[in-house]
């Protein structure tokens, strides 16, 4: 039998890092008291009008440029109609016809067969990035069998990043989303904290035989962790293959991933395809962006967005930073991934290297094997580390200058974790962990041991 080819495409909603919402002045804040951040426009009171938030547009342009997209100098807003309790207007303002950015790409790397030393780089095409409003939140109260609506999130600015179906398994999708998350955080265009719903992933999954058209796809909605994303996709691929091999059919349906049970469950089918009745948003003009060439001379710079100006100010992206770490310090490429994947770890490493005579290749071992495993064990972030860069550098200098052995260094590090404010040297002196350099002193110690154990020495000699 011919093998099955899985096809995976992602739609990712990233919450834009902005103080106010996309079309209103309401504040954006996680876990605020219900309905405390709702303007008249968010609640869709008659006569209220949208006013576009400049910061959200700049964030979308910046993200588009970082993902190698073409930025549309003219993009349009549309209404997408559907009825739900947490969508007071009965429609969402989005960009269906002409989004702000199109035709990009994202490169990501993953390990082959879980071997960190064998990494492969792949690319997924980005179909488009569009600006849109978030909906509110329905809170289901089962004990009173009622649903309560919180509109704090209604109208918060989102970037929807639509990827082409270029991936084939959960691991690839997870690696691509992790890279996107790092890019968004580097740009500051989204904090992308999945636990706070700032990055939500929908995965479209189908399977087919080689040479045949793509199979019927299902959509797994609202996955809120990278680990669950990989599990949900791999489960769904397996489920579809088993279903088809047993003579069943795949329904074009929306499913949810139950993380406790580890499988996907049906939510609703898409057979009667929902008609969203898209129409142009009558209250918003086309969004016009400029570059240096097209910028009118007499234009007030505060009122327009210059794509070139944003492009010049793009920060160093994770892929470039990794290359520099490998080049500058001679570390392995896979180590550069670990350094960037942990917030603040690359800076910690560089700071230690600057303060120590030890070679970076040796320093990286202490950072990844000792520092990182301790932090993970105690669920601490790099910024919460009880051992500062200064203390670790101090310790590594003692080791490098052969004042202590590496076994002793590990003992000193264990003491430093206690955070008692002692320096490595003080701990070494207290616990008498110095390496002895003096030949005479060593001979005296050996002699004292022999003198104290005469019987044993005689047995060994005679033995």
């Amino acid at each position: 039998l011919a093998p099955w080819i899985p096809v995976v495409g992602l739609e990712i909603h990233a919450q834009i890092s902005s103080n106010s919402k996309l079309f209103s002045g309401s504040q954006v804040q996680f876990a605020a008291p219900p309905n405390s951040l709702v303007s008249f426009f968010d609640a869709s009171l008659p006569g209220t009008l949208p006013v576009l938030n400049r910061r959200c547009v700049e964030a979308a342009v910046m993200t588009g440029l970082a993902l190698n997209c073409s930025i549309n100098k003219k993009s349009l807003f549309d209404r997408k109609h559907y009825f739900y309790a947490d969508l007071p207007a009965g429609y969402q303002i989005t960009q269906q016809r002409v989004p702000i950015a199109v035709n990009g790409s994202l490169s990501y790397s993953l390990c082959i067969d879980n071997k960190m030393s064998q990494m492969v780089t792949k690319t997924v095409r980005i179909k488009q990035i569009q600006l849109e409003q978030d909906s509110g939140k329905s809170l289901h109260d089962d004990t009173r069998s009622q649903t309560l609506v919180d509109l704090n999130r209604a109208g918060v600015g989102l970037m929807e990043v639509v990827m082409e179906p270029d991936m084939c398994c959960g691991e690839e999708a997870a690696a691509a989303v992790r890279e996107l998350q790092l890019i968004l955080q580097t740009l500051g265009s989204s904090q992308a904290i999945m636990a706070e719903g700032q990055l939500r992933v929908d995965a479209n999954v189908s399977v087919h035989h080689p040479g045949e058209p793509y199979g019927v796809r299902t959509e797994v909605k609202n996955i809120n962790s990278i680990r669950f994303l990989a599990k949900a996709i791999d489960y769904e691929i397996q489920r579809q293959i088993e279903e088809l091999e047993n003579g069943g059919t795949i329904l074009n349906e929306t499913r949810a991933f139950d993380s406790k049970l580890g499988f996907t469950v049906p939510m609703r089918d898409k057979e009667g395809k929902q008609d969203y009745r898209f129409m142009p948003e009558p209250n918003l003009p086309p969004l016009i962006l400029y570059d240096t060439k097209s910028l009118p001379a007499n234009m007030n710079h505060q009122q327009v967005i210059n794509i070139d100006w944003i492009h010049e100010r793009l920060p160093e992206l994770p892929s470039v930073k990794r290359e520099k770490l490998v080049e500058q310090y001679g570390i392995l490429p896979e180590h550069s991934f670990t350094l960037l994947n942990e917030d603040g770890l690359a800076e910690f490493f560089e700071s230690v290297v600057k303060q120590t005579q030890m070679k970076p290749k040796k320093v990286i071992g202490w950072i990844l094997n000792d520092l990182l495993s301790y932090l993970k064990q105690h669920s601490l972030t790099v910024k919460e580390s009880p051992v500062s860069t200064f203390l670790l550098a101090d310790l590594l200098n003692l080791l490098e200058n052969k004042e202590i052995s590496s076994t002793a260094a590990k003992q000193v590090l264990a003491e430093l974790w206690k955070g008692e404010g002692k320096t490595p040297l003080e701990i070494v002196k207290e616990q008498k962990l110095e390496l002895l350099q003096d030949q005479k002193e060593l001979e005296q110690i050996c002699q004292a041991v022999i003198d104290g154990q005469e019987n044993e020495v005689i047995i060994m000699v005679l033995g």
Side-chain angles (χ1 to χ4, degrees):
L1 260 173
W4 291 97
I5 299 174
V7 178
V8 178
L10 303 178
E11 292 166 17
I12 300 157
H13 288 92
Q15 182 181 312
I16 298 170
S17 186
S18 164
N19 294 329
S20 52
K21 296 183 181 180
L22 184 56
F23 299 117
S24 81
S26 294
Q27 204 189 336
V28 176
Q29 188 193 325
F30 180 68
N35 297 309
S36 60
L37 306 172
V38 187
S39 70
F40 292 149
F41 177 78
D42 306 329
S44 196
L45 296 188
T48 53
L49 293 171
V51 178
L52 183 57
N53 177 342
R54 178 195 175 99
R55 157 71 192 153
C56 292
V57 177
E58 287 175 341
V61 170
M62 194 190 281
T63 305
L65 292 170
L67 296 175
N68 312 303
C69 294
S70 306
I71 306 296
N72 281 324
K73 287 192 188 155
K74 178 182 178 182
S75 61
L76 306 171
F77 288 98
D78 304 281
R79 286 184 180 183
K80 174 183 181 177
H81 295 82
Y82 61 96
F83 292 98
Y84 206 71
D86 57 24
L87 192 75
Y91 61 83
Q92 172 196 38
I93 303 177
T94 180
Q95 293 191 306
Q96 161 72 5
R97 296 162 298 160
V98 186
I100 194 163
V102 292
N103 302 335
S105 64
L106 168 70
S107 292
Y108 61 96
S109 297
L110 68 162
C111 322
I112 307 171
D113 303 330
N114 286 334
K115 286 188 192 132
M116 276 305 277
S117 54
Q118 288 181 291
M119 297 198 84
V120 54
T121 299
K122 300 196 168 199
T123 302
V124 55
R125 290 169 298 153
I126 308 277
K127 185 180 180 207
Q128 64 190 57
I129 298 175
Q130 64 203 43
L131 280 166
E132 62 186 36
Q133 298 166 297
D134 207 344
S135 59
K137 201 171 181 181
S138 293
L139 306 159
H140 305 293
D141 181 346
D142 292 336
T143 48
R144 299 185 201 165
S145 56
Q146 62 181 7
T147 294
L148 303 169
V149 175
D150 178 8
L151 293 180
N152 280 347
R153 212 175 62 185
V156 167
L158 299 177
M159 293 177 282
E160 181 175 358
V161 180
V162 182
M163 295 181 173
E164 297 285 5
D166 293 343
M167 291 168 279
C168 68
C169 64
E171 196 186 357
E172 285 188 5
V177 171
R178 178 63 185 127
E179 189 66 10
L180 175 65
Q181 186 181 37
L182 273 178
I183 290 170
L184 294 171
Q185 289 168 343
T186 303
L187 298 173
S189 58
S190 170
Q191 292 175 338
I193 302 165
M194 294 190 89
E196 293 186 10
Q198 294 170 358
L199 199 68
R200 311 195 286 272
V201 185
D202 300 339
N204 291 299
V205 180
S206 69
V207 297
H208 65 281
H209 284 306
E212 290 179 2
Y214 283 0
V216 175
R217 68 188 167 105
T218 59
E219 183 180 25
V220 187
K221 289 287 277 188
N222 277 337
I223 306 165
N224 63 356
S225 109
I226 290 176
R227 205 161 48 90
F228 292 159
L229 174 67
K231 286 185 173 173
I233 289 171
D234 290 339
Y235 173 84
E236 190 55 22
I237 290 168
Q238 223 32 60
R239 184 191 72 83
Q240 291 189 15
I241 291 171
E242 283 169 21
E243 184 73 42
L244 292 166
E245 287 186 344
N246 292 331
T249 53
I250 301 301
L251 297 176
N252 177 216
E253 63 183 353
T254 301
R255 297 176 74 87
F257 179 65
D258 186 320
S259 54
K260 288 190 181 72
L261 299 172
F263 53 71
T264 64
V265 290
M267 277 168 72
R268 53 181 182 269
D269 73 28
K270 290 192 169 182
E271 294 301 311
K273 191 97 170 87
Q274 195 164 357
D275 179 11
Y276 290 119
R277 302 191 330 284
F278 283 102
M279 62 172 265
E281 168 53 61
N283 294 324
L284 284 164
L287 172 56
I288 307 293
L289 306 174
Y290 297 89
D291 55 19
T292 309
K293 280 194 205 119
S294 65
L295 200 65
N298 56 355
M299 190 66 89
N300 177 353
H301 284 271
Q302 296 304 309
Q303 291 181 319
V304 295
I305 286 174
N306 180 342
I307 300 164
D308 292 336
W309 191 85
I310 293 174
H311 200 270
E312 282 161 21
R313 281 157 185 76
L314 279 184
E316 188 173 77
L317 292 175
S319 53
V320 178
K321 177 84 175 145
R322 282 192 286 256
E323 275 170 30
K324 281 191 177 171
L325 286 168
V326 170
E327 218 170 280
Q328 194 175 343
Y329 300 111
I331 61 173
L332 296 170
E334 56 269 26
H335 289 162
S336 73
F337 274 86
T338 316
L339 283 181
L340 254 77
N341 274 345
E342 301 296 326
D343 188 24
L345 195 60
E347 292 76 13
F348 193 100
F349 165 71
E350 290 190 278
S351 177
V352 173
V353 169
K354 282 194 188 89
Q355 300 174 68
T356 173
Q357 291 115 38
M358 188 179 269
K359 287 200 165 66
K361 278 184 178 175
K362 280 169 78 180
V363 173
I364 194 84
W366 283 87
I367 298 259
L368 299 188
N369 300 333
D370 299 271
L371 180 89
L372 198 54
S373 55
Y374 175 88
L375 294 177
K376 291 218 154 129
Q377 210 178 320
H378 293 84
S379 304
L380 293 171
T381 64
V382 176
K383 293 181 175 69
E384 293 166 335
S385 169
V387 178
S388 65
T389 57
F390 171 73
L391 286 174
L392 186 59
D394 237 11
L395 172 62
L396 298 184
N397 281 335
L398 291 176
L399 179 59
E400 194 62 16
N401 297 332
K402 300 197 166 43
E403 289 176 47
I404 54 173
S405 67
S406 65
T407 316
K410 288 199 190 302
Q411 273 177 266
V412 175
L413 188 58
E415 284 297 313
L416 287 173
W417 285 129
K418 294 176 183 172
E420 291 168 356
K422 292 176 191 163
T423 67
L425 194 56
E426 284 167 357
I427 296 168
V428 167
K429 291 227 155 75
E430 246 174 52
Q431 306 204 0
K432 300 192 171 48
L433 295 169
E434 305 99 324
L435 280 177
L436 292 172
Q437 311 287 2
D438 187 336
Q439 183 77 23
K440 277 206 175 109
E441 200 179 333
L442 274 172
E443 283 173 12
Q444 281 170 0
I445 290 171
C446 293
Q447 193 58 54
V449 169
I450 291 170
D451 292 348
Q453 316 283 335
E454 274 179 28
N455 296 342
E456 285 84 347
V457 173
I458 290 165
I459 292 164
M460 281 182 74
V461 172
L462 295 175

